[in-house]
Amino acid sequence: MFSLADFVTALGWFGAVAGAAAYLLVSRGRWSAASARYQSANLLGAGLMGAVAAFNGIWPSAAANLIWVVIGGQALWVIFAKKQATQQPAATAAVSPVAAPVVTAAPAYEQHVLDEVWDERDPTLQMSVDELTVLTSQRMPVAA
């Protein structure tokens, strides 16, 4: 028969697979660390593994996973808040007191790239490889 302990253990294994799969997909460049998919899988994995740890009285692991859940929840909050802000009508965005950073010394083409990078920055403040490639390729003139 399937006991409560067996059910909780199965949930823990599911959480471990979800967390490991998320890490694998980010490490291989298939998912972005700033994506809701990655953060959701991380949050699910940490939540389930934390529940198993708490069920079994392994409090250091339960506490670490609770912290992981809080970090993942905050990251998802930032992702969804950013998505909400970009879906506002243009009239509302024009009145918004929050403006993009202005770098006065940068030429116009660089300012556009800087604004793009500023808007696309992930919640952990790490620049993606794609963003770095775009930024460096537009700053370095190609010799003709």
PDB file of all heavy atoms in Angstrom, residues 18-61:
ATOM      1  N   ALA A  18      12.686  18.218 -11.228  1.00  0.00           N
ATOM      2  CA  ALA A  18      12.331  19.538 -11.766  1.00  0.00           C
ATOM      3  C   ALA A  18      13.484  20.525 -11.590  1.00  0.00           C
ATOM      4  O   ALA A  18      13.838  21.256 -12.524  1.00  0.00           O
ATOM      5  CB  ALA A  18      11.071  20.073 -11.085  1.00  0.00           C
ATOM      6  N   GLY A  19      14.089  20.548 -10.405  1.00  0.00           N
ATOM      7  CA  GLY A  19      15.205  21.458 -10.152  1.00  0.00           C
ATOM      8  C   GLY A  19      16.424  21.122 -10.994  1.00  0.00           C
ATOM      9  O   GLY A  19      17.068  22.012 -11.554  1.00  0.00           O
ATOM     10  N   ALA A  20      16.741  19.843 -11.106  1.00  0.00           N
ATOM     11  CA  ALA A  20      17.899  19.430 -11.900  1.00  0.00           C
ATOM     12  C   ALA A  20      17.670  19.708 -13.388  1.00  0.00           C
ATOM     13  O   ALA A  20      18.582  20.155 -14.096  1.00  0.00           O
ATOM     14  CB  ALA A  20      18.194  17.951 -11.678  1.00  0.00           C
ATOM     15  N   ALA A  21      16.457  19.468 -13.858  1.00  0.00           N
ATOM     16  CA  ALA A  21      16.147  19.729 -15.274  1.00  0.00           C
ATOM     17  C   ALA A  21      16.248  21.225 -15.572  1.00  0.00           C
ATOM     18  O   ALA A  21      16.791  21.618 -16.613  1.00  0.00           O
ATOM     19  CB  ALA A  21      14.754  19.213 -15.617  1.00  0.00           C
ATOM     20  N   ALA A  22      15.748  22.055 -14.674  1.00  0.00           N
ATOM     21  CA  ALA A  22      15.838  23.508 -14.868  1.00  0.00           C
ATOM     22  C   ALA A  22      17.293  23.950 -14.935  1.00  0.00           C
ATOM     23  O   ALA A  22      17.683  24.733 -15.810  1.00  0.00           O
ATOM     24  CB  ALA A  22      15.113  24.232 -13.737  1.00  0.00           C
ATOM     25  N   TYR A  23      18.102  23.440 -14.033  1.00  0.00           N
ATOM     26  CA  TYR A  23      19.529  23.795 -14.015  1.00  0.00           C
ATOM     27  C   TYR A  23      20.213  23.328 -15.296  1.00  0.00           C
ATOM     28  O   TYR A  23      21.012  24.064 -15.888  1.00  0.00           O
ATOM     29  CB  TYR A  23      20.193  23.192 -12.779  1.00  0.00           C
ATOM     30  CG  TYR A  23      21.653  23.526 -12.650  1.00  0.00           C
ATOM     31  CD1 TYR A  23      22.062  24.847 -12.461  1.00  0.00           C
ATOM     32  CD2 TYR A  23      22.622  22.546 -12.727  1.00  0.00           C
ATOM     33  CE1 TYR A  23      23.399  25.178 -12.355  1.00  0.00           C
ATOM     34  CE2 TYR A  23      23.962  22.857 -12.613  1.00  0.00           C
ATOM     35  CZ  TYR A  23      24.351  24.176 -12.424  1.00  0.00           C
ATOM     36  OH  TYR A  23      25.676  24.482 -12.327  1.00  0.00           O
ATOM     37  N   LEU A  24      19.903  22.122 -15.740  1.00  0.00           N
ATOM     38  CA  LEU A  24      20.476  21.595 -16.972  1.00  0.00           C
ATOM     39  C   LEU A  24      20.109  22.465 -18.170  1.00  0.00           C
ATOM     40  O   LEU A  24      20.960  22.818 -18.991  1.00  0.00           O
ATOM     41  CB  LEU A  24      20.006  20.155 -17.205  1.00  0.00           C
ATOM     42  CG  LEU A  24      20.448  19.518 -18.530  1.00  0.00           C
ATOM     43  CD1 LEU A  24      21.940  19.236 -18.513  1.00  0.00           C
ATOM     44  CD2 LEU A  24      19.665  18.244 -18.784  1.00  0.00           C
ATOM     45  N   LEU A  25      18.834  22.832 -18.275  1.00  0.00           N
ATOM     46  CA  LEU A  25      18.374  23.628 -19.411  1.00  0.00           C
ATOM     47  C   LEU A  25      18.984  25.028 -19.424  1.00  0.00           C
ATOM     48  O   LEU A  25      19.296  25.570 -20.485  1.00  0.00           O
ATOM     49  CB  LEU A  25      16.850  23.681 -19.434  1.00  0.00           C
ATOM     50  CG  LEU A  25      16.191  22.344 -19.787  1.00  0.00           C
ATOM     51  CD1 LEU A  25      14.707  22.358 -19.450  1.00  0.00           C
ATOM     52  CD2 LEU A  25      16.410  22.010 -21.248  1.00  0.00           C
ATOM     53  N   VAL A  26      19.177  25.625 -18.260  1.00  0.00           N
ATOM     54  CA  VAL A  26      19.832  26.939 -18.197  1.00  0.00           C
ATOM     55  C   VAL A  26      21.315  26.797 -18.518  1.00  0.00           C
ATOM     56  O   VAL A  26      21.874  27.597 -19.266  1.00  0.00           O
ATOM     57  CB  VAL A  26      19.628  27.598 -16.815  1.00  0.00           C
ATOM     58  CG1 VAL A  26      20.602  28.735 -16.591  1.00  0.00           C
ATOM     59  CG2 VAL A  26      18.216  28.115 -16.691  1.00  0.00           C
ATOM     60  N   SER A  27      21.949  25.762 -17.996  1.00  0.00           N
ATOM     61  CA  SER A  27      23.377  25.555 -18.236  1.00  0.00           C
ATOM     62  C   SER A  27      23.679  25.294 -19.707  1.00  0.00           C
ATOM     63  O   SER A  27      24.731  25.682 -20.210  1.00  0.00           O
ATOM     64  CB  SER A  27      23.890  24.377 -17.409  1.00  0.00           C
ATOM     65  OG  SER A  27      23.783  24.677 -16.044  1.00  0.00           O
ATOM     66  N   ARG A  28      22.747  24.672 -20.398  1.00  0.00           N
ATOM     67  CA  ARG A  28      22.933  24.377 -21.823  1.00  0.00           C
ATOM     68  C   ARG A  28      22.445  25.514 -22.718  1.00  0.00           C
ATOM     69  O   ARG A  28      22.488  25.417 -23.939  1.00  0.00           O
ATOM     70  CB  ARG A  28      22.190  23.099 -22.192  1.00  0.00           C
ATOM     71  CG  ARG A  28      22.742  21.901 -21.435  1.00  0.00           C
ATOM     72  CD  ARG A  28      23.234  20.874 -22.372  1.00  0.00           C
ATOM     73  NE  ARG A  28      23.944  19.843 -21.656  1.00  0.00           N
ATOM     74  CZ  ARG A  28      23.811  18.576 -21.899  1.00  0.00           C
ATOM     75  NH1 ARG A  28      22.967  18.172 -22.818  1.00  0.00           N
ATOM     76  NH2 ARG A  28      24.511  17.696 -21.231  1.00  0.00           N
ATOM     77  N   GLY A  29      21.916  26.576 -22.128  1.00  0.00           N
ATOM     78  CA  GLY A  29      21.470  27.728 -22.899  1.00  0.00           C
ATOM     79  C   GLY A  29      20.088  27.572 -23.520  1.00  0.00           C
ATOM     80  O   GLY A  29      19.691  28.388 -24.340  1.00  0.00           O
ATOM     81  N   ARG A  30      19.348  26.553 -23.138  1.00  0.00           N
ATOM     82  CA  ARG A  30      18.008  26.341 -23.695  1.00  0.00           C
ATOM     83  C   ARG A  30      16.976  27.240 -23.012  1.00  0.00           C
ATOM     84  O   ARG A  30      15.994  27.612 -23.626  1.00  0.00           O
ATOM     85  CB  ARG A  30      17.591  24.877 -23.548  1.00  0.00           C
ATOM     86  CG  ARG A  30      18.615  23.902 -24.102  1.00  0.00           C
ATOM     87  CD  ARG A  30      18.432  23.636 -25.532  1.00  0.00           C
ATOM     88  NE  ARG A  30      17.354  22.674 -25.657  1.00  0.00           N
ATOM     89  CZ  ARG A  30      16.797  22.360 -26.794  1.00  0.00           C
ATOM     90  NH1 ARG A  30      17.224  22.904 -27.900  1.00  0.00           N
ATOM     91  NH2 ARG A  30      15.829  21.498 -26.848  1.00  0.00           N
ATOM     92  N   TRP A  31      17.182  27.534 -21.750  1.00  0.00           N
ATOM     93  CA  TRP A  31      16.319  28.455 -21.008  1.00  0.00           C
ATOM     94  C   TRP A  31      17.178  29.604 -20.509  1.00  0.00           C
ATOM     95  O   TRP A  31      18.381  29.463 -20.296  1.00  0.00           O
ATOM     96  CB  TRP A  31      15.686  27.769 -19.801  1.00  0.00           C
ATOM     97  CG  TRP A  31      14.533  26.867 -20.077  1.00  0.00           C
ATOM     98  CD1 TRP A  31      13.982  26.586 -21.281  1.00  0.00           C
ATOM     99  CD2 TRP A  31      13.805  26.126 -19.103  1.00  0.00           C
ATOM    100  NE1 TRP A  31      12.943  25.695 -21.116  1.00  0.00           N
ATOM    101  CE2 TRP A  31      12.814  25.405 -19.797  1.00  0.00           C
ATOM    102  CE3 TRP A  31      13.878  25.986 -17.732  1.00  0.00           C
ATOM    103  CZ2 TRP A  31      11.903  24.572 -19.162  1.00  0.00           C
ATOM    104  CZ3 TRP A  31      12.982  25.159 -17.095  1.00  0.00           C
ATOM    105  CH2 TRP A  31      12.002  24.464 -17.798  1.00  0.00           C
ATOM    106  N   SER A  32      16.542  30.731 -20.283  1.00  0.00           N
ATOM    107  CA  SER A  32      17.210  31.889 -19.691  1.00  0.00           C
ATOM    108  C   SER A  32      16.949  31.890 -18.188  1.00  0.00           C
ATOM    109  O   SER A  32      15.863  31.520 -17.743  1.00  0.00           O
ATOM    110  CB  SER A  32      16.653  33.165 -20.313  1.00  0.00           C
ATOM    111  OG  SER A  32      17.021  34.282 -19.542  1.00  0.00           O
ATOM    112  N   ALA A  33      17.927  32.335 -17.422  1.00  0.00           N
ATOM    113  CA  ALA A  33      17.723  32.446 -15.975  1.00  0.00           C
ATOM    114  C   ALA A  33      16.642  33.463 -15.646  1.00  0.00           C
ATOM    115  O   ALA A  33      16.051  33.433 -14.575  1.00  0.00           O
ATOM    116  CB  ALA A  33      19.031  32.828 -15.293  1.00  0.00           C
ATOM    117  N   ALA A  34      16.357  34.358 -16.590  1.00  0.00           N
ATOM    118  CA  ALA A  34      15.333  35.385 -16.380  1.00  0.00           C
ATOM    119  C   ALA A  34      13.963  34.923 -16.856  1.00  0.00           C
ATOM    120  O   ALA A  34      13.020  35.700 -16.835  1.00  0.00           O
ATOM    121  CB  ALA A  34      15.723  36.663 -17.116  1.00  0.00           C
ATOM    122  N   SER A  35      13.840  33.659 -17.267  1.00  0.00           N
ATOM    123  CA  SER A  35      12.552  33.194 -17.786  1.00  0.00           C
ATOM    124  C   SER A  35      11.650  32.706 -16.661  1.00  0.00           C
ATOM    125  O   SER A  35      12.114  32.179 -15.641  1.00  0.00           O
ATOM    126  CB  SER A  35      12.758  32.064 -18.808  1.00  0.00           C
ATOM    127  OG  SER A  35      13.174  30.876 -18.163  1.00  0.00           O
ATOM    128  N   ALA A  36      10.360  32.867 -16.875  1.00  0.00           N
ATOM    129  CA  ALA A  36       9.376  32.386 -15.901  1.00  0.00           C
ATOM    130  C   ALA A  36       9.416  30.862 -15.817  1.00  0.00           C
ATOM    131  O   ALA A  36       9.202  30.298 -14.748  1.00  0.00           O
ATOM    132  CB  ALA A  36       7.984  32.875 -16.282  1.00  0.00           C
ATOM    133  N   ARG A  37       9.715  30.197 -16.932  1.00  0.00           N
ATOM    134  CA  ARG A  37       9.803  28.720 -16.917  1.00  0.00           C
ATOM    135  C   ARG A  37      10.882  28.257 -15.948  1.00  0.00           C
ATOM    136  O   ARG A  37      10.646  27.364 -15.127  1.00  0.00           O
ATOM    137  CB  ARG A  37      10.161  28.183 -18.309  1.00  0.00           C
ATOM    138  CG  ARG A  37       9.102  28.300 -19.320  1.00  0.00           C
ATOM    139  CD  ARG A  37       9.562  27.669 -20.610  1.00  0.00           C
ATOM    140  NE  ARG A  37      10.722  28.392 -21.136  1.00  0.00           N
ATOM    141  CZ  ARG A  37      11.136  28.336 -22.375  1.00  0.00           C
ATOM    142  NH1 ARG A  37      10.516  27.574 -23.240  1.00  0.00           N
ATOM    143  NH2 ARG A  37      12.160  29.017 -22.777  1.00  0.00           N
ATOM    144  N   TYR A  38      12.051  28.843 -16.067  1.00  0.00           N
ATOM    145  CA  TYR A  38      13.163  28.440 -15.195  1.00  0.00           C
ATOM    146  C   TYR A  38      12.843  28.730 -13.733  1.00  0.00           C
ATOM    147  O   TYR A  38      13.022  27.877 -12.860  1.00  0.00           O
ATOM    148  CB  TYR A  38      14.449  29.158 -15.609  1.00  0.00           C
ATOM    149  CG  TYR A  38      15.581  28.944 -14.630  1.00  0.00           C
ATOM    150  CD1 TYR A  38      16.220  27.716 -14.542  1.00  0.00           C
ATOM    151  CD2 TYR A  38      15.994  29.967 -13.780  1.00  0.00           C
ATOM    152  CE1 TYR A  38      17.245  27.510 -13.636  1.00  0.00           C
ATOM    153  CE2 TYR A  38      17.018  29.765 -12.880  1.00  0.00           C
ATOM    154  CZ  TYR A  38      17.637  28.540 -12.803  1.00  0.00           C
ATOM    155  OH  TYR A  38      18.639  28.331 -11.898  1.00  0.00           O
ATOM    156  N   GLN A  39      12.393  29.931 -13.466  1.00  0.00           N
ATOM    157  CA  GLN A  39      12.109  30.311 -12.083  1.00  0.00           C
ATOM    158  C   GLN A  39      10.976  29.465 -11.497  1.00  0.00           C
ATOM    159  O   GLN A  39      11.019  29.092 -10.328  1.00  0.00           O
ATOM    160  CB  GLN A  39      11.793  31.805 -11.994  1.00  0.00           C
ATOM    161  CG  GLN A  39      12.951  32.702 -12.350  1.00  0.00           C
ATOM    162  CD  GLN A  39      14.156  32.541 -11.429  1.00  0.00           C
ATOM    163  OE1 GLN A  39      14.054  32.085 -10.290  1.00  0.00           O
ATOM    164  NE2 GLN A  39      15.321  32.904 -11.924  1.00  0.00           N
ATOM    165  N   SER A  40       9.970  29.136 -12.314  1.00  0.00           N
ATOM    166  CA  SER A  40       8.863  28.293 -11.836  1.00  0.00           C
ATOM    167  C   SER A  40       9.341  26.885 -11.518  1.00  0.00           C
ATOM    168  O   SER A  40       8.966  26.309 -10.488  1.00  0.00           O
ATOM    169  CB  SER A  40       7.748  28.233 -12.884  1.00  0.00           C
ATOM    170  OG  SER A  40       7.200  29.503 -13.084  1.00  0.00           O
ATOM    171  N   ALA A  41      10.158  26.311 -12.395  1.00  0.00           N
ATOM    172  CA  ALA A  41      10.684  24.961 -12.153  1.00  0.00           C
ATOM    173  C   ALA A  41      11.568  24.945 -10.910  1.00  0.00           C
ATOM    174  O   ALA A  41      11.512  24.019 -10.093  1.00  0.00           O
ATOM    175  CB  ALA A  41      11.451  24.469 -13.375  1.00  0.00           C
ATOM    176  N   ASN A  42      12.376  25.981 -10.743  1.00  0.00           N
ATOM    177  CA  ASN A  42      13.226  26.095  -9.559  1.00  0.00           C
ATOM    178  C   ASN A  42      12.385  26.211  -8.295  1.00  0.00           C
ATOM    179  O   ASN A  42      12.659  25.566  -7.287  1.00  0.00           O
ATOM    180  CB  ASN A  42      14.109  27.340  -9.690  1.00  0.00           C
ATOM    181  CG  ASN A  42      15.565  27.005  -9.706  1.00  0.00           C
ATOM    182  OD1 ASN A  42      15.973  25.917  -9.337  1.00  0.00           O
ATOM    183  ND2 ASN A  42      16.365  27.948 -10.146  1.00  0.00           N
ATOM    184  N   LEU A  43      11.375  27.045  -8.356  1.00  0.00           N
ATOM    185  CA  LEU A  43      10.490  27.246  -7.208  1.00  0.00           C
ATOM    186  C   LEU A  43       9.766  25.953  -6.854  1.00  0.00           C
ATOM    187  O   LEU A  43       9.689  25.573  -5.682  1.00  0.00           O
ATOM    188  CB  LEU A  43       9.482  28.355  -7.532  1.00  0.00           C
ATOM    189  CG  LEU A  43       8.634  28.812  -6.374  1.00  0.00           C
ATOM    190  CD1 LEU A  43       9.104  30.182  -5.932  1.00  0.00           C
ATOM    191  CD2 LEU A  43       7.204  28.911  -6.797  1.00  0.00           C
ATOM    192  N   LEU A  44       9.255  25.240  -7.850  1.00  0.00           N
ATOM    193  CA  LEU A  44       8.567  23.976  -7.628  1.00  0.00           C
ATOM    194  C   LEU A  44       9.520  22.955  -7.006  1.00  0.00           C
ATOM    195  O   LEU A  44       9.182  22.296  -6.016  1.00  0.00           O
ATOM    196  CB  LEU A  44       8.009  23.440  -8.952  1.00  0.00           C
ATOM    197  CG  LEU A  44       7.357  22.065  -8.884  1.00  0.00           C
ATOM    198  CD1 LEU A  44       6.048  22.137  -8.106  1.00  0.00           C
ATOM    199  CD2 LEU A  44       7.123  21.523 -10.280  1.00  0.00           C
ATOM    200  N   GLY A  45      10.706  22.827  -7.584  1.00  0.00           N
ATOM    201  CA  GLY A  45      11.681  21.876  -7.060  1.00  0.00           C
ATOM    202  C   GLY A  45      12.059  22.163  -5.617  1.00  0.00           C
ATOM    203  O   GLY A  45      12.059  21.273  -4.762  1.00  0.00           O
ATOM    204  N   ALA A  46      12.368  23.417  -5.335  1.00  0.00           N
ATOM    205  CA  ALA A  46      12.759  23.798  -3.974  1.00  0.00           C
ATOM    206  C   ALA A  46      11.600  23.616  -3.002  1.00  0.00           C
ATOM    207  O   ALA A  46      11.798  23.155  -1.869  1.00  0.00           O
ATOM    208  CB  ALA A  46      13.247  25.244  -3.953  1.00  0.00           C
ATOM    209  N   GLY A  47      10.393  23.965  -3.434  1.00  0.00           N
ATOM    210  CA  GLY A  47       9.232  23.808  -2.559  1.00  0.00           C
ATOM    211  C   GLY A  47       8.968  22.356  -2.201  1.00  0.00           C
ATOM    212  O   GLY A  47       8.743  22.019  -1.024  1.00  0.00           O
ATOM    213  N   LEU A  48       9.019  21.489  -3.202  1.00  0.00           N
ATOM    214  CA  LEU A  48       8.766  20.069  -2.937  1.00  0.00           C
ATOM    215  C   LEU A  48       9.878  19.434  -2.110  1.00  0.00           C
ATOM    216  O   LEU A  48       9.609  18.670  -1.166  1.00  0.00           O
ATOM    217  CB  LEU A  48       8.572  19.317  -4.256  1.00  0.00           C
ATOM    218  CG  LEU A  48       7.291  19.674  -5.020  1.00  0.00           C
ATOM    219  CD1 LEU A  48       7.261  18.959  -6.366  1.00  0.00           C
ATOM    220  CD2 LEU A  48       6.061  19.334  -4.204  1.00  0.00           C
ATOM    221  N   MET A  49      11.120  19.743  -2.441  1.00  0.00           N
ATOM    222  CA  MET A  49      12.225  19.175  -1.653  1.00  0.00           C
ATOM    223  C   MET A  49      12.235  19.737  -0.233  1.00  0.00           C
ATOM    224  O   MET A  49      12.554  19.026   0.719  1.00  0.00           O
ATOM    225  CB  MET A  49      13.560  19.417  -2.354  1.00  0.00           C
ATOM    226  CG  MET A  49      13.710  18.572  -3.606  1.00  0.00           C
ATOM    227  SD  MET A  49      15.339  18.651  -4.366  1.00  0.00           S
ATOM    228  CE  MET A  49      15.421  20.354  -4.877  1.00  0.00           C
ATOM    229  N   GLY A  50      11.855  21.001  -0.085  1.00  0.00           N
ATOM    230  CA  GLY A  50      11.753  21.586   1.249  1.00  0.00           C
ATOM    231  C   GLY A  50      10.647  20.940   2.063  1.00  0.00           C
ATOM    232  O   GLY A  50      10.806  20.710   3.269  1.00  0.00           O
ATOM    233  N   ALA A  51       9.526  20.617   1.417  1.00  0.00           N
ATOM    234  CA  ALA A  51       8.421  19.949   2.116  1.00  0.00           C
ATOM    235  C   ALA A  51       8.845  18.562   2.585  1.00  0.00           C
ATOM    236  O   ALA A  51       8.526  18.149   3.714  1.00  0.00           O
ATOM    237  CB  ALA A  51       7.202  19.853   1.203  1.00  0.00           C
ATOM    238  N   VAL A  52       9.581  17.847   1.750  1.00  0.00           N
ATOM    239  CA  VAL A  52      10.079  16.518   2.139  1.00  0.00           C
ATOM    240  C   VAL A  52      11.047  16.637   3.319  1.00  0.00           C
ATOM    241  O   VAL A  52      10.973  15.866   4.278  1.00  0.00           O
ATOM    242  CB  VAL A  52      10.759  15.802   0.948  1.00  0.00           C
ATOM    243  CG1 VAL A  52      11.469  14.540   1.389  1.00  0.00           C
ATOM    244  CG2 VAL A  52       9.739  15.477  -0.119  1.00  0.00           C
ATOM    245  N   ALA A  53      11.934  17.627   3.246  1.00  0.00           N
ATOM    246  CA  ALA A  53      12.892  17.823   4.333  1.00  0.00           C
ATOM    247  C   ALA A  53      12.159  18.148   5.643  1.00  0.00           C
ATOM    248  O   ALA A  53      12.492  17.595   6.701  1.00  0.00           O
ATOM    249  CB  ALA A  53      13.877  18.934   3.976  1.00  0.00           C
ATOM    250  N   ALA A  54      11.163  19.013   5.566  1.00  0.00           N
ATOM    251  CA  ALA A  54      10.400  19.363   6.778  1.00  0.00           C
ATOM    252  C   ALA A  54       9.624  18.153   7.300  1.00  0.00           C
ATOM    253  O   ALA A  54       9.580  17.910   8.513  1.00  0.00           O
ATOM    254  CB  ALA A  54       9.449  20.518   6.474  1.00  0.00           C
ATOM    255  N   PHE A  55       9.030  17.386   6.397  1.00  0.00           N
ATOM    256  CA  PHE A  55       8.284  16.185   6.784  1.00  0.00           C
ATOM    257  C   PHE A  55       9.174  15.208   7.546  1.00  0.00           C
ATOM    258  O   PHE A  55       8.750  14.563   8.495  1.00  0.00           O
ATOM    259  CB  PHE A  55       7.701  15.513   5.538  1.00  0.00           C
ATOM    260  CG  PHE A  55       6.915  14.266   5.817  1.00  0.00           C
ATOM    261  CD1 PHE A  55       5.600  14.335   6.234  1.00  0.00           C
ATOM    262  CD2 PHE A  55       7.497  13.012   5.642  1.00  0.00           C
ATOM    263  CE1 PHE A  55       4.869  13.189   6.482  1.00  0.00           C
ATOM    264  CE2 PHE A  55       6.781  11.857   5.888  1.00  0.00           C
ATOM    265  CZ  PHE A  55       5.458  11.942   6.313  1.00  0.00           C
ATOM    266  N   ASN A  56      10.437  15.127   7.122  1.00  0.00           N
ATOM    267  CA  ASN A  56      11.381  14.201   7.755  1.00  0.00           C
ATOM    268  C   ASN A  56      12.202  14.844   8.867  1.00  0.00           C
ATOM    269  O   ASN A  56      13.103  14.214   9.420  1.00  0.00           O
ATOM    270  CB  ASN A  56      12.318  13.616   6.697  1.00  0.00           C
ATOM    271  CG  ASN A  56      11.588  12.656   5.786  1.00  0.00           C
ATOM    272  OD1 ASN A  56      11.006  11.681   6.253  1.00  0.00           O
ATOM    273  ND2 ASN A  56      11.595  12.930   4.492  1.00  0.00           N
ATOM    274  N   GLY A  57      11.928  16.115   9.190  1.00  0.00           N
ATOM    275  CA  GLY A  57      12.624  16.794  10.281  1.00  0.00           C
ATOM    276  C   GLY A  57      14.061  17.173   9.965  1.00  0.00           C
ATOM    277  O   GLY A  57      14.868  17.340  10.870  1.00  0.00           O
ATOM    278  N   ILE A  58      14.379  17.351   8.691  1.00  0.00           N
ATOM    279  CA  ILE A  58      15.739  17.754   8.295  1.00  0.00           C
ATOM    280  C   ILE A  58      15.706  19.272   8.103  1.00  0.00           C
ATOM    281  O   ILE A  58      15.544  19.781   6.994  1.00  0.00           O
ATOM    282  CB  ILE A  58      16.178  17.007   7.019  1.00  0.00           C
ATOM    283  CG1 ILE A  58      16.046  15.500   7.236  1.00  0.00           C
ATOM    284  CG2 ILE A  58      17.611  17.374   6.638  1.00  0.00           C
ATOM    285  CD1 ILE A  58      16.181  14.677   5.988  1.00  0.00           C
ATOM    286  N   TRP A  59      15.827  19.966   9.213  1.00  0.00           N
ATOM    287  CA  TRP A  59      15.553  21.398   9.244  1.00  0.00           C
ATOM    288  C   TRP A  59      16.552  22.259   8.485  1.00  0.00           C
ATOM    289  O   TRP A  59      16.149  23.261   7.876  1.00  0.00           O
ATOM    290  CB  TRP A  59      15.368  21.859  10.685  1.00  0.00           C
ATOM    291  CG  TRP A  59      14.213  21.123  11.295  1.00  0.00           C
ATOM    292  CD1 TRP A  59      14.249  20.210  12.310  1.00  0.00           C
ATOM    293  CD2 TRP A  59      12.846  21.163  10.870  1.00  0.00           C
ATOM    294  NE1 TRP A  59      12.994  19.700  12.540  1.00  0.00           N
ATOM    295  CE2 TRP A  59      12.110  20.266  11.673  1.00  0.00           C
ATOM    296  CE3 TRP A  59      12.169  21.873   9.876  1.00  0.00           C
ATOM    297  CZ2 TRP A  59      10.751  20.075  11.520  1.00  0.00           C
ATOM    298  CZ3 TRP A  59      10.803  21.677   9.725  1.00  0.00           C
ATOM    299  CH2 TRP A  59      10.116  20.789  10.538  1.00  0.00           C
ATOM    300  N   PRO A  60      17.857  21.951   8.463  1.00  0.00           N
ATOM    301  CA  PRO A  60      18.764  22.794   7.657  1.00  0.00           C
ATOM    302  C   PRO A  60      18.384  22.774   6.170  1.00  0.00           C
ATOM    303  O   PRO A  60      18.381  23.816   5.511  1.00  0.00           O
ATOM    304  CB  PRO A  60      20.139  22.165   7.888  1.00  0.00           C
ATOM    305  CG  PRO A  60      20.027  21.479   9.210  1.00  0.00           C
ATOM    306  CD  PRO A  60      18.616  20.961   9.264  1.00  0.00           C
ATOM    307  N   SER A  61      18.045  21.597   5.648  1.00  0.00           N
ATOM    308  CA  SER A  61      17.641  21.499   4.244  1.00  0.00           C
ATOM    309  C   SER A  61      16.298  22.198   4.023  1.00  0.00           C
ATOM    310  O   SER A  61      16.095  22.867   3.005  1.00  0.00           O
ATOM    311  CB  SER A  61      17.546  20.028   3.829  1.00  0.00           C
ATOM    312  OG  SER A  61      17.166  19.921   2.478  1.00  0.00           O
TER     313      SER A  61
END
